[in-house]
Amino acid sequence: MRISAFVAIAMGAALLPPVAHPALAQESPMAPRDEEARVADARLAASRAETMDALDRAAMVAQDAFRCGDAGADVPVIAVPDGEDAFRAIVLSDTAVPHALARYRVGAGRVLSGGMIEDAAERTLSPEERRLANARATALRERESRGLPLCSERSPRTIVLPPEDDGTVPVYVMSARREAGVLPTGGHYRFDIDEAGAVAHWCVMADGCRDARWDVDDPELDKQVFVLAHTLDDHPNAVLMLLSRRLPFSMGVVTGDVIWPVIGGEITTPVPMMDDLLPTED
């Protein structure tokens, strides 16, 4: 569905359920901003989500290669860019001091090279790998110590980004998918880990435990619209953009009195939200 078609739906037809309840903001609401600033931040979020998506898909390819058919196994993986269209994915041991169990070069959705590491001397992580692995572990401990809820009984999924300009490593801890056709839209967090290995900042990216659900065999799946009410930001953030990339249909993100059309991680300017277009929960 094109964005123009989505806008037509938002302005003149009923949107399809489910709808997530508005989340409780972690901090006091920010002062109202003009549309130009909000759209600019939404586009930055879309760009970050594209990076997150690429890193996470590279990690999933490495996980599948390492698990050898055991799709339910939890395998910690970090991924870093390796060239223009490839990634280096490192499978980590689940130990207090992690080491590399396997290294893969991943591109175009498949393993290009690499495999299990037989030589113990080659399992030592590089300084860059160690920093990312430690940041991941710190974020997971912080989430657990704070009792921040997840929306899945499975271990959370993590996406570790390269260090920011200020040296912090962003780590996203997200509720894992449970089954095909079900995507948790809440229980997602961001932790910024500083150069000393401490949590410099954390925030809730999407809360509430509402699921986006669909029938994978529905021939008209792409005509649906999933509507999500979001009060943690005044624009769709990077996690919501990432979720949009994982949905087989369009998403509408409601912030205040506007709705943002988001299709496959692409954003456009918001349009006025009509109250009677937002379905109520049963």
Side-chain angles (χ1 to χ4, degrees):
M1 181 185 295
R2 292 179 175 272
I3 287 178
S4 58
F6 181 102
V7 173
I9 291 174
M11 294 298 293
L15 297 173
L16 298 179
V19 175
H21 279 310
L24 295 176
Q26 180 184 329
E27 301 173 355
S28 58
M30 62 193 315
R33 300 191 300 160
D34 61 43
E35 182 177 294
E36 183 178 357
R38 297 167 68 186
V39 170
D41 280 352
R43 287 175 176 159
L44 286 174
S47 178
R48 174 173 287 254
E50 182 177 11
T51 299
M52 294 167 64
D53 190 35
L55 290 169
D56 193 38
R57 290 184 186 279
M60 287 190 281
V61 170
Q63 287 172 322
D64 289 343
F66 183 82
R67 288 187 293 211
C68 298
D70 185 2
D74 291 321
V75 183
V77 176
I78 53 174
V80 295
D82 185 20
E84 186 174 346
D85 296 311
F87 298 87
R88 179 163 38 92
I90 303 95
V91 179
L92 304 171
S93 64
D94 191 13
T95 55
V97 180
H99 56 268
L101 298 178
R103 286 189 176 90
Y104 301 95
R105 191 168 189 266
V106 175
R110 62 188 180 89
V111 171
L112 302 176
S113 61
M116 298 282 292
I117 301 173
E118 302 297 338
D119 187 347
E122 296 180 1
R123 292 183 176 178
T124 302
L125 299 178
S126 70
E128 176 192 29
E129 294 168 350
R130 188 181 309 111
R131 178 146 188 239
L132 298 181
N134 289 342
R136 175 185 179 276
T138 298
L140 287 171
R141 287 194 299 268
E142 186 75 7
R143 199 282 311 170
E144 187 170 4
S145 69
R146 289 184 176 274
L148 300 174
L150 298 173
C151 300
S152 172
E153 65 280 1
R154 298 183 59 191
S155 298
R157 186 152 194 89
T158 55
I159 304 176
V160 185
L161 270 60
E164 306 266 76
D165 291 341
D166 63 0
T168 59
V169 175
V171 181
Y172 291 84
V173 179
M174 303 182 63
S175 296
R177 297 182 69 158
R178 299 183 298 278
E179 57 187 288
V182 179
L183 183 67
T185 63
H188 307 307
Y189 309 93
R190 170 176 165 163
F191 300 87
D192 292 334
I193 313 302
D194 65 23
E195 294 181 284
V199 178
H201 176 262
W202 70 275
C203 64
V204 181
M205 299 296 292
D207 64 359
C209 276
R210 204 60 194 276
D211 290 332
R213 293 178 175 270
W214 62 92
D215 180 356
V216 295
D217 297 320
D218 184 350
E220 297 189 339
L221 192 57
D222 61 344
K223 297 180 181 179
Q224 296 186 29
V225 178
F226 178 78
V227 184
L228 183 73
H230 181 68
T231 63
L232 297 175
D233 306 282
D234 62 4
H235 63 280
N237 63 31
V239 162
L240 298 182
M241 295 293 196
L242 177 62
L243 295 179
S244 169
R245 287 175 164 269
R246 305 293 168 84
L247 290 173
F249 39 73
S250 305
M251 174 189 284
V253 179
V254 179
T255 61
D257 60 355
V258 298
I259 181 168
W260 301 73
V262 187
I263 303 174
E266 295 183 10
I267 189 73
T268 186
T269 53
V271 295
M273 181 62 194
M274 299 170 60
D275 291 340
D276 60 349
L277 296 185
L278 188 62
T280 56
E281 195 177 11
D282 293 337

